[in-house]
Amino acid sequence: MSAVPAKNSRHRPARPSADGSEMTVEELSARTGVSVRNIRAYQTAGLMPPPRLQGRLGLYDPEHQGKLELIRDLRQQGFRLDAIKGMLEKTPEGAWSEYSLISELFSTTFFTVEAPKRKAINEMAANWDTKATSEQKERLARNGLYRPVGEDEVEMLSPALERIGIQLAELNVPLDTVLDLQDELIKHTRAIAKAYVEQLFLELLKAITGSQPASGDKAASASKIAPDPNVVGAMKGLFERLRPLAIGSVSAAFPVVLQQEFDRAIQKQQKKRG
């Protein structure tokens, strides 16, 4: 992937820190828990600005650290790199102290209604009186609803979905069919969620943070700059109101669309028989 053009000021090489708090990539990795390999991969993908070069040595500042911590948190919460890049590109200049709150507002507990649950993969497959194949395990690992926590254990981010799967198993629906349906569900609901995040949540968030004065001292701390409490309150209040609207809109539309698709399928079958 090519580097992000220099005209985007968020990706220009960082200026030296006024308080001398610059660090090497190894030090940045130690502070954030992100591997050196991933830090460089994020730079290549255009998620982070390049370091300031001092000879052949790359030096990173607190702004790099804050952005990397945000990327790390969003990755841990299941966001894909392309979605994170879209969020970062929409961030107004000077609003990083407020936008660091995205990692809190989009935490795994903000939108979800159930606590995650750990379970062995083979125990999940036992509902079909079988053992999970390596391919089935791989499908669970990459769909975003099951976070691997061990060699044969996952953290289910939606225990309710597993309970639905168990009921489908009792109806003798094959495991692979359930996984196919689950993949389709995740694919389309992720597209809906991405649209809500980019077209509604981030746009309203930008309206709030964009009206705030930019911080003139980006190197005030080697960690995150304390955000304006008024901005924090406004953001939380806004998202508390939007959360049920976003989730409720999907619940409201799906039964209507399901009925329409069922009717179309029945009519199609009748035409074939006629």
Side-chain angles (χ1 to χ4, degrees):
M1 184 179 294
S2 60
V4 174
K7 66 179 182 180
N8 187 335
S9 59
R10 288 190 296 276
H11 298 280
R12 291 175 186 166
R15 295 188 296 272
S17 298
D19 61 356
S21 58
E22 288 181 314
M23 65 203 92
T24 64
V25 68
E26 290 79 13
E27 291 169 333
L28 179 62
S29 175
R31 289 189 187 186
T32 61
V34 180
S35 69
V36 171
R37 178 180 178 181
N38 280 344
I39 292 173
R40 288 174 174 153
Y42 296 155
Q43 287 175 202
T44 301
L47 297 177
M48 285 183 60
R52 183 180 72 86
L53 292 178
Q54 183 174 301
R56 299 183 62 182
L57 180 65
L59 295 174
Y60 298 81
D61 64 15
E63 190 174 357
H64 286 102
Q65 181 178 340
K67 184 172 288 190
L68 182 59
E69 288 171 346
L70 178 59
I71 296 169
R72 176 200 64 198
D73 293 346
L74 291 171
R75 285 291 287 162
Q76 289 174 349
Q77 293 157 22
F79 282 84
R80 303 168 76 93
L81 289 181
D82 57 347
I84 295 174
K85 185 175 182 180
M87 294 180 190
L88 300 181
E89 289 176 346
K90 290 177 180 291
T91 305
E93 278 299 319
W96 277 108
S97 61
E98 289 85 4
Y99 264 73
S100 65
L101 288 167
I102 291 178
S103 63
E104 175 186 346
L105 295 174
F106 285 94
S107 72
T108 54
T109 59
F110 190 83
F111 287 100
T112 54
V113 294
E114 287 187 296
K117 177 183 176 183
R118 289 193 176 192
K119 197 166 186 178
I121 295 177
N122 280 330
E123 185 181 344
M124 296 167 62
N127 295 305
W128 284 264
D129 296 323
T130 185
K131 290 185 177 181
T133 65
S134 57
E135 181 183 355
Q136 290 167 341
K137 290 180 182 181
E138 174 62 24
R139 291 180 70 176
L140 288 177
R142 66 171 181 256
N143 70 16
L145 291 186
Y146 302 89
R147 182 182 296 135
V149 293
E151 185 175 344
D152 191 46
E153 188 179 22
V154 294
E155 187 176 53
M156 298 183 298
L157 302 183
S158 177
L161 199 58
E162 190 220 8
R163 293 193 291 272
I164 292 172
I166 292 173
Q167 293 180 57
L168 291 173
E170 292 172 352
L171 293 171
N172 296 319
V173 178
L175 176 56
D176 281 327
T177 300
V178 173
L179 292 176
D180 287 341
L181 290 170
Q182 192 174 91
D183 286 345
E184 286 297 310
L185 172 70
I186 294 168
K187 174 184 175 181
H188 294 291
T189 54
R190 192 177 298 283
I192 295 170
K194 184 177 180 181
Y196 266 97
V197 168
E198 294 183 352
Q199 297 177 31
L200 183 61
F201 286 79
L202 289 184
E203 288 302 311
L204 291 173
L205 195 60
K206 183 165 63 176
I208 294 175
T209 59
S211 62
Q212 302 300 314
S215 172
D217 185 9
K218 294 182 180 180
S221 168
S223 60
K224 294 179 181 178
I225 301 170
D228 184 337
N230 293 325
V231 174
V232 175
M235 291 166 71
K236 286 186 175 180
L238 172 66
F239 278 61
E240 286 287 356
R241 293 183 64 185
L242 288 175
R243 174 174 54 184
L245 297 178
I247 297 173
S249 64
V250 177
S251 299
F254 185 72
V256 176
V257 176
L258 180 62
Q259 182 66 57
Q260 291 172 346
E261 290 304 312
F262 179 78
D263 292 343
R264 288 192 183 103
I266 293 296
Q267 292 170 5
K268 187 176 180 180
Q269 289 297 322
Q270 290 175 339
K271 288 180 179 178
K272 285 183 178 179
R273 291 176 181 176

